[in-house]
mmCIF file of all heavy atoms in Angstrom:
data_model
loop_
_atom_site.group_PDB
_atom_site.id
_atom_site.type_symbol
_atom_site.label_atom_id
_atom_site.label_comp_id
_atom_site.label_asym_id
_atom_site.label_seq_id
_atom_site.Cartn_x
_atom_site.Cartn_y
_atom_site.Cartn_z
ATOM 1 N N ALA A 103 -122.584 -280.982 -22.878
ATOM 2 C CA ALA A 103 -122.643 -281.817 -24.081
ATOM 3 C C ALA A 103 -122.688 -280.952 -25.339
ATOM 4 O O ALA A 103 -122.046 -281.271 -26.352
ATOM 5 C CB ALA A 103 -123.865 -282.729 -24.032
ATOM 6 N N LEU A 104 -123.429 -279.855 -25.287
ATOM 7 C CA LEU A 104 -123.554 -278.989 -26.455
ATOM 8 C C LEU A 104 -122.258 -278.251 -26.746
ATOM 9 O O LEU A 104 -121.919 -278.011 -27.913
ATOM 10 C CB LEU A 104 -124.701 -278.001 -26.241
ATOM 11 C CG LEU A 104 -126.102 -278.629 -26.225
ATOM 12 C CD1 LEU A 104 -127.127 -277.644 -25.703
ATOM 13 C CD2 LEU A 104 -126.486 -279.109 -27.621
ATOM 14 N N VAL A 105 -121.523 -277.887 -25.704
ATOM 15 C CA VAL A 105 -120.228 -277.240 -25.906
ATOM 16 C C VAL A 105 -119.274 -278.198 -26.618
ATOM 17 O O VAL A 105 -118.476 -277.788 -27.473
ATOM 18 C CB VAL A 105 -119.639 -276.752 -24.567
ATOM 19 C CG1 VAL A 105 -118.171 -276.375 -24.710
ATOM 20 C CG2 VAL A 105 -120.432 -275.553 -24.049
ATOM 21 N N LYS A 106 -119.349 -279.481 -26.283
ATOM 22 C CA LYS A 106 -118.502 -280.476 -26.960
ATOM 23 C C LYS A 106 -118.761 -280.497 -28.459
ATOM 24 O O LYS A 106 -117.854 -280.759 -29.261
ATOM 25 C CB LYS A 106 -118.761 -281.866 -26.381
ATOM 26 C CG LYS A 106 -118.299 -282.059 -24.953
ATOM 27 C CD LYS A 106 -118.701 -283.437 -24.438
ATOM 28 C CE LYS A 106 -118.439 -283.575 -22.952
ATOM 29 N NZ LYS A 106 -118.934 -284.875 -22.431
ATOM 30 N N ASP A 107 -120.018 -280.231 -28.845
ATOM 31 C CA ASP A 107 -120.355 -280.226 -30.267
ATOM 32 C C ASP A 107 -119.755 -279.031 -30.995
ATOM 33 O O ASP A 107 -119.797 -278.966 -32.217
ATOM 34 C CB ASP A 107 -121.880 -280.195 -30.449
ATOM 35 C CG ASP A 107 -122.535 -281.477 -29.950
ATOM 36 O OD1 ASP A 107 -121.831 -282.502 -29.858
ATOM 37 O OD2 ASP A 107 -123.735 -281.446 -29.652
ATOM 38 N N HIS A 108 -119.235 -278.059 -30.218
ATOM 39 C CA HIS A 108 -118.638 -276.871 -30.812
ATOM 40 C C HIS A 108 -117.127 -276.819 -30.527
ATOM 41 O O HIS A 108 -116.550 -275.752 -30.411
ATOM 42 C CB HIS A 108 -119.311 -275.610 -30.264
ATOM 43 C CG HIS A 108 -120.717 -275.425 -30.741
ATOM 44 N ND1 HIS A 108 -121.752 -276.214 -30.310
ATOM 45 C CD2 HIS A 108 -121.257 -274.534 -31.620
ATOM 46 C CE1 HIS A 108 -122.876 -275.822 -30.894
ATOM 47 N NE2 HIS A 108 -122.610 -274.811 -31.689
ATOM 48 N N ILE A 109 -116.513 -278.000 -30.436
ATOM 49 C CA ILE A 109 -115.086 -278.063 -30.105
ATOM 50 C C ILE A 109 -114.199 -277.584 -31.259
ATOM 51 O O ILE A 109 -112.978 -277.507 -31.116
ATOM 52 C CB ILE A 109 -114.659 -279.499 -29.713
ATOM 53 C CG1 ILE A 109 -115.028 -280.489 -30.823
ATOM 54 C CG2 ILE A 109 -115.301 -279.905 -28.394
ATOM 55 C CD1 ILE A 109 -114.525 -281.901 -30.561
ATOM 56 N N ASP A 110 -114.822 -277.261 -32.405
ATOM 57 C CA ASP A 110 -114.033 -276.753 -33.521
ATOM 58 C C ASP A 110 -113.565 -275.323 -33.289
ATOM 59 O O ASP A 110 -112.901 -274.733 -34.146
ATOM 60 C CB ASP A 110 -114.846 -276.815 -34.818
ATOM 61 C CG ASP A 110 -116.162 -276.043 -34.715
ATOM 62 O OD1 ASP A 110 -116.456 -275.506 -33.631
ATOM 63 O OD2 ASP A 110 -116.876 -275.979 -35.726
ATOM 64 N N GLY A 111 -113.894 -274.769 -32.138
ATOM 65 C CA GLY A 111 -113.445 -273.414 -31.816
ATOM 66 C C GLY A 111 -114.445 -272.341 -32.170
ATOM 67 O O GLY A 111 -114.167 -271.148 -32.008
ATOM 68 N N SER A 112 -115.625 -272.735 -32.656
ATOM 69 C CA SER A 112 -116.608 -271.727 -33.033
ATOM 70 C C SER A 112 -117.134 -270.970 -31.814
ATOM 71 O O SER A 112 -117.544 -269.811 -31.922
ATOM 72 C CB SER A 112 -117.770 -272.370 -33.799
ATOM 73 O OG SER A 112 -118.385 -273.386 -33.023
ATOM 74 N N LEU A 113 -117.127 -271.596 -30.633
ATOM 75 C CA LEU A 113 -117.504 -270.892 -29.410
ATOM 76 C C LEU A 113 -116.237 -270.334 -28.776
ATOM 77 O O LEU A 113 -115.429 -271.070 -28.212
ATOM 78 C CB LEU A 113 -118.222 -271.837 -28.439
ATOM 79 C CG LEU A 113 -118.630 -271.219 -27.094
ATOM 80 C CD1 LEU A 113 -119.539 -270.011 -27.290
ATOM 81 C CD2 LEU A 113 -119.301 -272.253 -26.198
ATOM 82 N N ARG A 114 -116.066 -269.014 -28.881
ATOM 83 C CA ARG A 114 -114.867 -268.384 -28.357
ATOM 84 C C ARG A 114 -115.171 -266.916 -28.099
ATOM 85 O O ARG A 114 -116.146 -266.370 -28.607
ATOM 86 C CB ARG A 114 -113.706 -268.499 -29.352
ATOM 87 C CG ARG A 114 -113.928 -267.731 -30.652
ATOM 88 C CD ARG A 114 -112.910 -268.102 -31.708
ATOM 89 N NE ARG A 114 -112.960 -267.208 -32.868
ATOM 90 C CZ ARG A 114 -113.858 -267.269 -33.830
ATOM 91 N NH1 ARG A 114 -114.822 -268.174 -33.771
ATOM 92 N NH2 ARG A 114 -113.820 -266.430 -34.847
ATOM 93 N N ALA A 115 -114.333 -266.276 -27.324
ATOM 94 C CA ALA A 115 -114.484 -264.846 -27.084
ATOM 95 C C ALA A 115 -114.076 -264.074 -28.331
ATOM 96 O O ALA A 115 -113.151 -264.473 -29.044
ATOM 97 C CB ALA A 115 -113.644 -264.414 -25.895
ATOM 98 N N LEU A 116 -114.782 -262.968 -28.590
ATOM 99 C CA LEU A 116 -114.453 -262.083 -29.708
ATOM 100 C C LEU A 116 -114.030 -260.742 -29.125
ATOM 101 O O LEU A 116 -114.834 -259.829 -28.971
ATOM 102 C CB LEU A 116 -115.663 -261.905 -30.634
ATOM 103 C CG LEU A 116 -116.150 -263.153 -31.381
ATOM 104 C CD1 LEU A 116 -117.390 -262.832 -32.192
ATOM 105 C CD2 LEU A 116 -115.040 -263.705 -32.283
ATOM 106 N N PRO A 117 -112.752 -260.592 -28.777
ATOM 107 C CA PRO A 117 -112.295 -259.393 -28.070
ATOM 108 C C PRO A 117 -112.384 -258.141 -28.925
ATOM 109 O O PRO A 117 -112.389 -258.196 -30.163
ATOM 110 C CB PRO A 117 -110.834 -259.730 -27.728
ATOM 111 C CG PRO A 117 -110.433 -260.742 -28.753
ATOM 112 C CD PRO A 117 -111.656 -261.547 -29.041
ATOM 113 N N ALA A 118 -112.463 -256.995 -28.264
ATOM 114 C CA ALA A 118 -112.504 -255.711 -28.958
ATOM 115 C C ALA A 118 -111.263 -255.548 -29.825
ATOM 116 O O ALA A 118 -110.168 -255.974 -29.465
ATOM 117 C CB ALA A 118 -112.600 -254.578 -27.942
ATOM 118 N N GLY A 119 -111.449 -254.960 -30.994
ATOM 119 C CA GLY A 119 -110.334 -254.710 -31.901
ATOM 120 C C GLY A 119 -110.052 -255.833 -32.868
ATOM 121 O O GLY A 119 -109.216 -255.680 -33.765
ATOM 122 N N GLN A 120 -110.734 -256.964 -32.706
ATOM 123 C CA GLN A 120 -110.500 -258.106 -33.590
ATOM 124 C C GLN A 120 -111.809 -258.534 -34.236
ATOM 125 O O GLN A 120 -112.756 -258.895 -33.540
ATOM 126 C CB GLN A 120 -109.896 -259.281 -32.811
ATOM 127 C CG GLN A 120 -108.549 -259.001 -32.191
ATOM 128 C CD GLN A 120 -107.991 -260.198 -31.441
ATOM 129 O OE1 GLN A 120 -108.322 -261.348 -31.746
ATOM 130 N NE2 GLN A 120 -107.141 -259.944 -30.470
ATOM 131 N N SER A 121 -111.854 -258.499 -35.554
ATOM 132 C CA SER A 121 -113.057 -258.962 -36.239
ATOM 133 C C SER A 121 -113.120 -260.487 -36.164
ATOM 134 O O SER A 121 -112.101 -261.169 -36.071
ATOM 135 C CB SER A 121 -113.051 -258.503 -37.694
ATOM 136 O OG SER A 121 -111.917 -259.011 -38.367
ATOM 137 N N GLY A 122 -114.320 -261.014 -36.188
ATOM 138 C CA GLY A 122 -114.487 -262.459 -36.120
ATOM 139 C C GLY A 122 -115.939 -262.819 -35.940
ATOM 140 O O GLY A 122 -116.782 -261.964 -35.644
ATOM 141 N N MET A 123 -116.230 -264.090 -36.127
ATOM 142 C CA MET A 123 -117.609 -264.551 -36.043
ATOM 143 C C MET A 123 -117.700 -265.847 -35.248
ATOM 144 O O MET A 123 -116.816 -266.705 -35.333
ATOM 145 C CB MET A 123 -118.196 -264.769 -37.439
ATOM 146 C CG MET A 123 -119.682 -265.091 -37.439
ATOM 147 S SD MET A 123 -120.367 -265.225 -39.121
ATOM 148 C CE MET A 123 -119.622 -266.757 -39.661
ATOM 149 N N VAL A 124 -118.777 -265.978 -34.489
ATOM 150 C CA VAL A 124 -119.099 -267.197 -33.756
ATOM 151 C C VAL A 124 -120.409 -267.733 -34.319
ATOM 152 O O VAL A 124 -121.383 -266.984 -34.466
ATOM 153 C CB VAL A 124 -119.241 -266.914 -32.244
ATOM 154 C CG1 VAL A 124 -119.935 -268.059 -31.533
ATOM 155 C CG2 VAL A 124 -117.863 -266.665 -31.623
ATOM 156 N N LEU A 125 -120.429 -268.995 -34.653
ATOM 157 C CA LEU A 125 -121.626 -269.652 -35.194
ATOM 158 C C LEU A 125 -122.092 -270.715 -34.209
ATOM 159 O O LEU A 125 -121.366 -271.664 -33.933
ATOM 160 C CB LEU A 125 -121.314 -270.274 -36.556
ATOM 161 C CG LEU A 125 -122.482 -270.922 -37.302
ATOM 162 C CD1 LEU A 125 -123.490 -269.858 -37.745
ATOM 163 C CD2 LEU A 125 -121.977 -271.705 -38.516
ATOM 164 N N LEU A 126 -123.300 -270.525 -33.679
ATOM 165 C CA LEU A 126 -123.822 -271.423 -32.642
ATOM 166 C C LEU A 126 -125.176 -271.999 -33.048
ATOM 167 O O LEU A 126 -125.949 -271.340 -33.751
ATOM 168 C CB LEU A 126 -123.997 -270.670 -31.318
ATOM 169 C CG LEU A 126 -122.780 -269.938 -30.740
ATOM 170 C CD1 LEU A 126 -123.169 -269.247 -29.440
ATOM 171 C CD2 LEU A 126 -121.621 -270.897 -30.518
ATOM 172 N N SER A 127 -125.460 -273.201 -32.560
ATOM 173 C CA SER A 127 -126.789 -273.772 -32.767
ATOM 174 C C SER A 127 -127.782 -273.077 -31.840
ATOM 175 O O SER A 127 -127.426 -272.590 -30.760
ATOM 176 C CB SER A 127 -126.775 -275.277 -32.474
ATOM 177 O OG SER A 127 -126.598 -275.511 -31.076
ATOM 178 N N GLN A 128 -129.035 -273.031 -32.254
ATOM 179 C CA GLN A 128 -130.065 -272.434 -31.400
ATOM 180 C C GLN A 128 -130.237 -273.230 -30.104
ATOM 181 O O GLN A 128 -130.600 -272.668 -29.078
ATOM 182 C CB GLN A 128 -131.392 -272.351 -32.151
ATOM 183 C CG GLN A 128 -131.433 -271.258 -33.204
ATOM 184 C CD GLN A 128 -132.782 -271.156 -33.887
ATOM 185 O OE1 GLN A 128 -133.031 -271.869 -34.856
ATOM 186 N NE2 GLN A 128 -133.648 -270.286 -33.406
ATOM 187 N N GLU A 129 -129.933 -274.522 -30.152
ATOM 188 C CA GLU A 129 -130.028 -275.327 -28.938
ATOM 189 C C GLU A 129 -128.967 -274.917 -27.930
ATOM 190 O O GLU A 129 -129.251 -274.785 -26.732
ATOM 191 C CB GLU A 129 -129.891 -276.809 -29.274
ATOM 192 C CG GLU A 129 -130.116 -277.709 -28.054
ATOM 193 C CD GLU A 129 -130.093 -279.185 -28.394
ATOM 194 O OE1 GLU A 129 -129.770 -279.539 -29.547
ATOM 195 O OE2 GLU A 129 -130.397 -279.995 -27.485
ATOM 196 N N LEU A 130 -127.732 -274.695 -28.391
ATOM 197 C CA LEU A 130 -126.682 -274.243 -27.478
ATOM 198 C C LEU A 130 -127.026 -272.859 -26.922
ATOM 199 O O LEU A 130 -126.826 -272.595 -25.731
ATOM 200 C CB LEU A 130 -125.329 -274.200 -28.192
ATOM 201 C CG LEU A 130 -124.166 -273.618 -27.387
ATOM 202 C CD1 LEU A 130 -123.991 -274.322 -26.043
ATOM 203 C CD2 LEU A 130 -122.875 -273.658 -28.196
ATOM 204 N N VAL A 131 -127.541 -271.993 -27.770
ATOM 205 C CA VAL A 131 -127.938 -270.659 -27.303
ATOM 206 C C VAL A 131 -128.987 -270.761 -26.206
ATOM 207 O O VAL A 131 -128.924 -270.056 -25.189
ATOM 208 C CB VAL A 131 -128.454 -269.814 -28.488
ATOM 209 C CG1 VAL A 131 -129.148 -268.549 -28.000
ATOM 210 C CG2 VAL A 131 -127.300 -269.461 -29.419
ATOM 211 N N ALA A 132 -129.963 -271.649 -26.392
ATOM 212 C CA ALA A 132 -131.003 -271.834 -25.374
ATOM 213 C C ALA A 132 -130.404 -272.325 -24.062
ATOM 214 O O ALA A 132 -130.808 -271.887 -22.977
ATOM 215 C CB ALA A 132 -132.059 -272.815 -25.879
ATOM 216 N N SER A 133 -129.427 -273.217 -24.140
ATOM 217 C CA SER A 133 -128.778 -273.730 -22.939
ATOM 218 C C SER A 133 -127.967 -272.629 -22.256
ATOM 219 O O SER A 133 -127.972 -272.513 -21.016
ATOM 220 C CB SER A 133 -127.877 -274.909 -23.299
ATOM 221 O OG SER A 133 -127.305 -275.483 -22.145
ATOM 222 N N ILE A 134 -127.279 -271.807 -23.054
ATOM 223 C CA ILE A 134 -126.516 -270.674 -22.505
ATOM 224 C C ILE A 134 -127.447 -269.743 -21.729
ATOM 225 O O ILE A 134 -127.127 -269.298 -20.617
ATOM 226 C CB ILE A 134 -125.815 -269.912 -23.654
ATOM 227 C CG1 ILE A 134 -124.635 -270.733 -24.184
ATOM 228 C CG2 ILE A 134 -125.345 -268.531 -23.188
ATOM 229 C CD1 ILE A 134 -124.043 -270.188 -25.478
ATOM 230 N N LEU A 135 -128.618 -269.465 -22.295
ATOM 231 C CA LEU A 135 -129.563 -268.550 -21.641
ATOM 232 C C LEU A 135 -130.188 -269.188 -20.402
ATOM 233 O O LEU A 135 -130.457 -268.498 -19.405
ATOM 234 C CB LEU A 135 -130.637 -268.118 -22.636
ATOM 235 C CG LEU A 135 -130.126 -267.243 -23.791
ATOM 236 C CD1 LEU A 135 -131.263 -266.924 -24.764
ATOM 237 C CD2 LEU A 135 -129.503 -265.959 -23.269
ATOM 238 N N ALA A 136 -130.428 -270.486 -20.436
ATOM 239 C CA ALA A 136 -130.964 -271.166 -19.249
ATOM 240 C C ALA A 136 -129.980 -271.055 -18.087
ATOM 241 O O ALA A 136 -130.377 -270.820 -16.940
ATOM 242 C CB ALA A 136 -131.268 -272.632 -19.568
ATOM 243 N N CYS A 137 -128.694 -271.198 -18.377
ATOM 244 C CA CYS A 137 -127.680 -271.033 -17.328
ATOM 245 C C CYS A 137 -127.671 -269.606 -16.806
ATOM 246 O O CYS A 137 -127.402 -269.361 -15.624
ATOM 247 C CB CYS A 137 -126.307 -271.413 -17.866
ATOM 248 S SG CYS A 137 -126.121 -273.171 -18.258
ATOM 249 N N GLY A 138 -127.974 -268.649 -17.677
ATOM 250 C CA GLY A 138 -128.081 -267.266 -17.239
ATOM 251 C C GLY A 138 -129.244 -267.063 -16.290
ATOM 252 O O GLY A 138 -129.131 -266.330 -15.299
ATOM 253 N N PHE A 139 -130.367 -267.696 -16.580
ATOM 254 C CA PHE A 139 -131.506 -267.606 -15.668
ATOM 255 C C PHE A 139 -131.125 -268.128 -14.288
ATOM 256 O O PHE A 139 -131.535 -267.560 -13.261
ATOM 257 C CB PHE A 139 -132.697 -268.394 -16.223
ATOM 258 C CG PHE A 139 -133.888 -268.384 -15.309
ATOM 259 C CD1 PHE A 139 -134.810 -267.344 -15.359
ATOM 260 C CD2 PHE A 139 -134.083 -269.399 -14.379
ATOM 261 C CE1 PHE A 139 -135.902 -267.319 -14.481
ATOM 262 C CE2 PHE A 139 -135.169 -269.378 -13.518
ATOM 263 C CZ PHE A 139 -136.077 -268.336 -13.569
ATOM 264 N N PHE A 140 -130.358 -269.198 -14.251
ATOM 265 C CA PHE A 140 -129.933 -269.768 -12.968
ATOM 266 C C PHE A 140 -128.710 -269.052 -12.378
ATOM 267 O O PHE A 140 -128.174 -269.498 -11.348
ATOM 268 C CB PHE A 140 -129.645 -271.264 -13.130
ATOM 269 C CG PHE A 140 -130.869 -272.086 -13.431
ATOM 270 C CD1 PHE A 140 -130.971 -272.816 -14.604
ATOM 271 C CD2 PHE A 140 -131.940 -272.103 -12.551
ATOM 272 C CE1 PHE A 140 -132.101 -273.565 -14.888
ATOM 273 C CE2 PHE A 140 -133.085 -272.852 -12.821
ATOM 274 C CZ PHE A 140 -133.168 -273.587 -13.992
ATOM 275 N N CYS A 141 -128.271 -267.972 -13.031
ATOM 276 C CA CYS A 141 -127.196 -267.110 -12.496
ATOM 277 C C CYS A 141 -125.911 -267.887 -12.227
ATOM 278 O O CYS A 141 -125.257 -267.700 -11.188
ATOM 279 C CB CYS A 141 -127.665 -266.399 -11.224
ATOM 280 S SG CYS A 141 -129.170 -265.425 -11.434
ATOM 281 N N LEU A 142 -125.524 -268.732 -13.171
ATOM 282 C CA LEU A 142 -124.392 -269.631 -12.958
ATOM 283 C C LEU A 142 -123.083 -269.146 -13.572
ATOM 284 O O LEU A 142 -122.062 -269.842 -13.479
ATOM 285 C CB LEU A 142 -124.741 -271.019 -13.517
ATOM 286 C CG LEU A 142 -125.879 -271.753 -12.786
ATOM 287 C CD1 LEU A 142 -126.238 -273.052 -13.494
ATOM 288 C CD2 LEU A 142 -125.509 -272.025 -11.337
ATOM 289 N N TYR A 143 -123.084 -267.959 -14.177
ATOM 290 C CA TYR A 143 -121.848 -267.485 -14.810
ATOM 291 C C TYR A 143 -120.957 -266.758 -13.809
ATOM 292 O O TYR A 143 -121.399 -265.826 -13.143
ATOM 293 C CB TYR A 143 -122.170 -266.565 -15.991
ATOM 294 C CG TYR A 143 -122.790 -267.322 -17.148
ATOM 295 C CD1 TYR A 143 -124.156 -267.281 -17.375
ATOM 296 C CD2 TYR A 143 -122.003 -268.121 -17.965
ATOM 297 C CE1 TYR A 143 -124.732 -267.994 -18.409
ATOM 298 C CE2 TYR A 143 -122.566 -268.849 -19.003
ATOM 299 C CZ TYR A 143 -123.931 -268.784 -19.219
ATOM 300 O OH TYR A 143 -124.498 -269.516 -20.234
#
Side-chain angles (χ1 to χ4, degrees):
L104 292 167
V105 167
K106 292 176 189 175
D107 294 339
H108 290 71
I109 55 175
D110 57 358
S112 58
L113 178 58
R114 65 192 190 282
L116 295 177
Q120 298 180 26
S121 60
M123 187 176 71
V124 164
L125 184 68
L126 305 179
S127 69
Q128 286 183 274
E129 185 175 7
L130 174 54
V131 168
S133 184
I134 287 169
L135 293 177
C137 293
F139 178 86
F140 293 119
C141 304
L142 294 175
Y143 291 102

